[in-house]
């Protein structure tokens, strides 16, 4: 691609270069071992050093992590929060469901501790999982890329074509094609005529309908390049929402229900963001629910012993 990005995207290229220089200087000076540095970063650096990565490559890797950490999981969590707390009945239904898989006890200091086993969500919290999937269906904007392995003809009849003669397209072997997830995620034939509406129970479906949905629902890509971080995203997003739903109230500054802002359908983002002109008005108050003050939240893996 060189030198075109430096010509067509000068501002972001210069910003990336500045960050790269700063991170390289930071890691060369050993600041990753400072006492205020996250253990996640320290462990990641230790693994990279173990396998012989040069210090500048480690710094460049952290630059990539800055992007990865905010590109999909965080905006998906945002959308899940606004969709859930926009609907008071959905909040109440999720609270009842989550109480069934919550473990409570007192820690060594006598503090109330509420523990979620992330592995239980799929079996015991179908509404929570369905809500998560529906949020991704509504807001995911990633592009799927595939390579055509043999010449393929596709036929398509235009809507309203009186003659009924289909148009045929040839996809030649070796060509790379891209298709936005919106094509299949918003197909009425798969999801129903209410495809543009948010339905938190849409993925609680019969087996026959589930097969159709699985073919059309690809927020994490597919094939050998299926996102390896999908399980981590699932755990962190559902865990955060579970704690918020049970332990907190999220309302507008005036005390009303939060609204779902219109989405910016940009195909250069993995997850769509709110339209720029409404982002400054997305204010909310987060406060503890009565009876849930002072709770310590904890998340464990399937065996119930490993903190996640």
């Amino acid at each position: 691609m060189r030198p075109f990005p430096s010509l067509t995207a000068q501002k972001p290229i210069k910003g990336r270069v500045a960050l790269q220089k700063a991170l390289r200087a930071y890691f060369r000076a050993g600041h990753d071992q400072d006492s205020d540095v996250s253990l996640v970063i320290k462990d990641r650096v230790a693994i990279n050093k173990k396998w012989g990565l040069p210090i500048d490559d480690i710094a460049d890797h952290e630059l990539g992590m800055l992007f990865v950490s905010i590109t999909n999981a965080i905006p998906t969590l945002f959308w899940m929060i606004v969709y859930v707390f926009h609907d008071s009945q959905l909040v109440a239904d999720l609270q009842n469901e989550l109480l069934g898989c919550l473990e409570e006890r007192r820690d060594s200091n006598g503090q109330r501790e509420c523990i979620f086993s992330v592995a239980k969500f799929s079996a015991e919290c179908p509404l929570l999982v369905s809500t998560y999937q529906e949020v991704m269906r509504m807001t995911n904007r990633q592009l799927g890329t595939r390579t055509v392995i043999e010449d393929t003809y596709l036929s398509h009849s235009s809507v309203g074509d009186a003659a009924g003669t289909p148009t045929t397209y040839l996809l030649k072997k070796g060509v790379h094609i891209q298709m936005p997830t919106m094509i299949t995620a918003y197909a009425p034939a798969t999801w129903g005529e209410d495809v543009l509406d948010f339905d938190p129970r849409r993925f609680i479906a019969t087996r026959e309908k589930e097969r159709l949905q699985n073919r059309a629902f690809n927020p994490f890509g597919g094939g050998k390049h299926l996102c390896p971080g999908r399980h981590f995203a699932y755990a962190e997003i559902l865990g955060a929402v579970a704690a918020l739903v049970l332990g907190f109230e999220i309302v507008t500054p005036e005390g009303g229900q939060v609204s779902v802002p219109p989405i910016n359908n940009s195909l250069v983002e993995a997850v769509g963001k709110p339209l720029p002109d409404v982002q400054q008005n997305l204010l909310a108050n987060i406060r503890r629910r009565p009876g849930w003050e002072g709770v310590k939240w904890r998340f464990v893996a399937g065996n119930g012993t490993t903190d996640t």
Side-chain angles (χ1 to χ4, degrees):
M1 296 293 291
R2 295 179 182 179
F4 298 109
S6 63
L7 300 175
T8 61
Q10 293 184 21
K11 187 175 180 180
I13 288 290
K14 289 180 179 179
R16 186 175 68 181
V17 169
L19 283 172
Q20 187 179 41
K21 288 181 178 179
L23 284 169
R24 286 185 174 186
Y26 178 88
F27 281 96
R28 287 172 184 172
H31 289 305
D32 56 292
Q33 297 303 312
D34 291 350
S35 60
D36 60 345
V37 175
S38 164
L39 288 176
V40 173
I41 294 177
K42 289 183 177 180
D43 288 347
R44 189 160 58 231
V45 171
I47 291 174
N48 285 332
K49 287 182 177 179
K50 174 183 176 181
W51 293 102
L53 266 70
I55 194 66
D56 284 354
D57 285 0
I58 292 174
D60 294 348
H61 180 251
E62 289 302 315
L63 177 58
M65 292 302 297
L66 290 176
F67 170 76
V68 171
S69 65
I70 63 172
T71 189
N72 43 34
I74 289 177
T76 299
L77 175 60
F78 162 80
W79 287 114
M80 193 153 179
I81 289 172
V82 295
Y83 271 112
V84 168
F85 285 91
H86 175 68
D87 185 342
S88 58
Q89 185 58 55
L90 177 58
V91 171
D93 292 343
L94 286 172
Q95 287 171 347
N96 290 333
E97 182 178 78
L98 288 165
L99 284 173
C101 71
L102 180 70
E103 178 186 348
E104 292 194 47
R105 64 188 184 195
R106 297 284 174 176
D107 65 14
S108 58
N109 297 319
Q111 183 180 9
R112 181 185 176 192
E113 189 175 56
C114 292
I115 305 169
F116 281 117
S117 173
V118 175
K120 292 183 178 181
F121 285 151
S122 60
E124 300 183 16
C125 300
L127 179 57
L128 178 67
V129 174
S130 177
T131 300
Y132 169 63
Q133 293 172 305
E134 178 72 346
V135 166
M136 288 194 293
R137 185 189 72 83
M138 295 288 291
T139 63
N140 189 273
R141 296 294 181 266
Q142 63 103 6
L143 290 168
T145 303
R146 294 291 184 271
T147 300
V148 181
I149 59 176
E150 60 182 33
D151 287 357
T152 303
Y153 289 92
L154 296 180
S155 297
H156 171 69
S157 297
S158 300
V159 176
D161 186 353
T165 303
T167 301
T168 300
Y169 303 88
L170 169 61
L171 304 180
K172 293 186 70 64
K173 178 180 178 180
V175 169
H176 303 296
I177 60 173
Q178 288 186 315
M179 184 171 66
T181 54
M182 291 180 66
I183 300 294
T184 54
Y186 283 79
T190 300
W191 308 102
E193 293 304 317
D194 63 343
V195 67
L196 298 179
D197 299 329
F198 177 77
D199 179 3
R201 293 170 175 79
R202 191 182 301 274
F203 284 81
I204 304 176
T206 62
R207 185 172 298 275
E208 180 180 354
K209 187 176 180 182
E210 187 177 11
R211 283 197 295 267
L212 289 174
Q213 291 177 349
N214 287 339
R215 294 176 62 185
F217 182 66
N218 303 290
F220 294 107
K224 68 178 182 179
H225 297 296
L226 184 64
C227 176
R230 65 192 184 279
H231 302 300
F232 182 75
Y234 172 93
E236 63 177 336
I237 294 172
L238 268 64
V241 171
L244 287 171
V245 166
L246 275 185
F248 298 83
E249 296 174 344
I250 300 180
V251 296
T252 64
E254 297 76 27
Q257 289 181 330
V258 297
S259 60
V260 178
I263 191 170
N264 183 22
N265 289 318
S266 170
L267 295 182
V268 300
E269 297 178 319
V271 179
K273 310 297 191 301
L275 288 172
D277 58 347
V278 302
Q279 290 183 14
Q280 300 302 317
N281 299 320
L282 300 176
L283 302 178
N285 288 334
I286 303 177
R287 59 198 183 201
R288 294 271 187 172
R289 285 181 65 206
W292 293 83
E293 300 87 354
V295 170
K296 178 181 177 181
W297 298 94
R298 187 166 166 236
F299 305 92
V300 299
N303 59 14
T305 59
T306 305
D307 286 308
T308 57

